[in-house]
Amino acid sequence: MPTTSDRPSWMMQGITAEPVENYLYSLLPPRDEVLAEMESQAAKRNIPIVGPAVGRVLHQLAMISVAKNIFEMGSAIGYSTIWWARAVGDGGRVIYTDGDRKNADEARGYSDRAGVANRITIKVGDALELLSEQTQQFDIIFCDVDKEDYPRALRMAVPRLRRGGLFVADNVLWSGKVAEKNPTEPSTKSILEFNRLLYSSKELFTTILPIRDGLAVAVKL
Ligand SMILES: C[S@@+](CC[C@H](N)C(=O)[O-])C[C@H]1O[C@@H](n2cnc3c(N)ncnc32)[C@H](O)[C@@H]1O
């Protein structure tokens, strides 16, 4: 079991009790060589990937909803992208977006090695703008951009989802800061507004899974 000091940065503290969190991670089957290398790079270079426990949830959500078209907002080195791409199967498409070209180049290399490059379209730029250029409807839109952009991303994403499609967002418990009495950080305030919007929307049915840093899953009604 990893101790607090040797746990990779993509494992979280503060949401689930540490022994329970360690137990959940101990159950996970080993990942293939590509995902394992990405996890180790993310830990070394402090890249905020979703990690394998959430990666499996993403994969499972795509399987359950038989998703074929996924738009990802904030993809970094393409770790979550590979979990999605493996779930959509042959003929499925995942749109990768990130503002950083170096991330995109690295993601391209990993997706080639993972054998899913033909399912991934890489787009560099502002994920919200890139989404606004899309005319099709998606089965799943995944939000993992800067937290201040979450409420705007949600408003833009809902019309781009098919009925029964999923809007999924990471970090919605924000290291537990959502429970602070008087939050002052703009990112925390933004997540709080975002969660309120999700639960009050008449167009969505939402739950937050308290896995890792909190994963919101909303179905478009
Ligand atoms: C948390 S990381 C994404 C991790 C990735 N989803 C994963 O789990 O493997 C967030 C990424 O989003 C990018 N980003 C943040 N805001 C963005 C925006 N508005 N448009 C495009 N990329 C953005 C950052 O460059 C960063 O690489």
Side-chain angles (χ1 to χ4, degrees):
M1 293 282 175
T3 60
T4 303
S5 57
D6 66 12
R7 53 172 40 205
S9 54
W10 39 259
M11 278 179 80
M12 296 295 298
Q13 297 164 53
I15 308 292
T16 311
E18 195 171 324
V20 177
E21 184 84 349
N22 287 340
Y23 169 71
L24 287 174
Y25 279 87
S26 77
L27 289 174
L28 300 181
R31 272 71 68 201
D32 68 284
E33 187 225 328
V34 180
L35 287 179
E37 184 179 322
M38 295 174 93
E39 289 167 16
S40 125
Q41 282 298 314
K44 245 187 246 160
R45 291 155 51 200
N46 235 353
I47 303 165
I49 62 168
V50 293
V54 170
R56 286 178 70 87
V57 180
L58 304 183
H59 189 98
Q60 198 175 29
L61 290 172
M63 287 168 81
I64 294 167
S65 60
V66 201
K68 287 288 170 200
N69 282 296
I70 298 180
F71 191 95
E72 183 172 72
M73 310 175 77
S75 304
I77 60 172
Y79 177 84
S80 49
T81 324
I82 290 181
W83 281 98
W84 290 123
R86 287 186 168 155
V88 294
D90 288 335
R93 304 293 304 170
V94 182
I95 299 183
Y96 162 111
T97 66
D98 204 275
D100 183 333
R101 185 164 294 281
K102 272 204 223 140
N103 277 344
D105 291 341
E106 200 170 340
R108 192 171 283 111
Y110 284 127
S111 64
D112 276 341
R113 283 172 55 198
V116 287
N118 61 344
R119 299 177 189 175
I120 297 174
T121 304
I122 293 187
K123 290 183 183 284
V124 178
D126 178 59
L128 288 84
E129 258 175 46
L130 291 167
L131 178 63
S132 74
E133 289 165 10
Q134 297 295 312
T135 49
Q136 70 174 107
Q137 292 212 309
F138 291 93
D139 300 314
I140 297 179
I141 298 177
F142 176 49
C143 182
D144 201 9
V145 288
D146 290 344
K147 306 314 150 189
E148 284 84 344
D149 282 335
Y150 269 34
R152 200 159 59 91
L154 171 62
R155 287 189 193 96
M156 291 177 62
V158 175
R160 296 264 61 81
L161 271 179
R162 70 160 165 86
R163 276 178 79 176
L166 303 178
F167 180 78
V168 182
D170 193 34
N171 308 110
V172 298
L173 297 178
W174 206 221
S175 307
K177 291 184 212 165
V178 287
E180 282 175 1
K181 280 219 169 80
N182 292 304
T184 52
E185 267 181 30
S187 54
T188 309
K189 288 183 177 177
S190 181
I191 294 273
L192 287 167
E193 186 198 346
F194 174 78
N195 288 342
R196 264 194 309 270
L197 288 171
L198 277 178
Y199 275 91
S200 61
S201 169
K202 291 194 171 36
E203 292 178 278
L204 300 169
F205 187 92
T206 301
T207 53
I208 289 177
L209 310 178
I211 186 165
R212 203 184 75 100
D213 199 23
L215 189 75
V217 181
V219 186
K220 182 166 171 181
L221 301 170

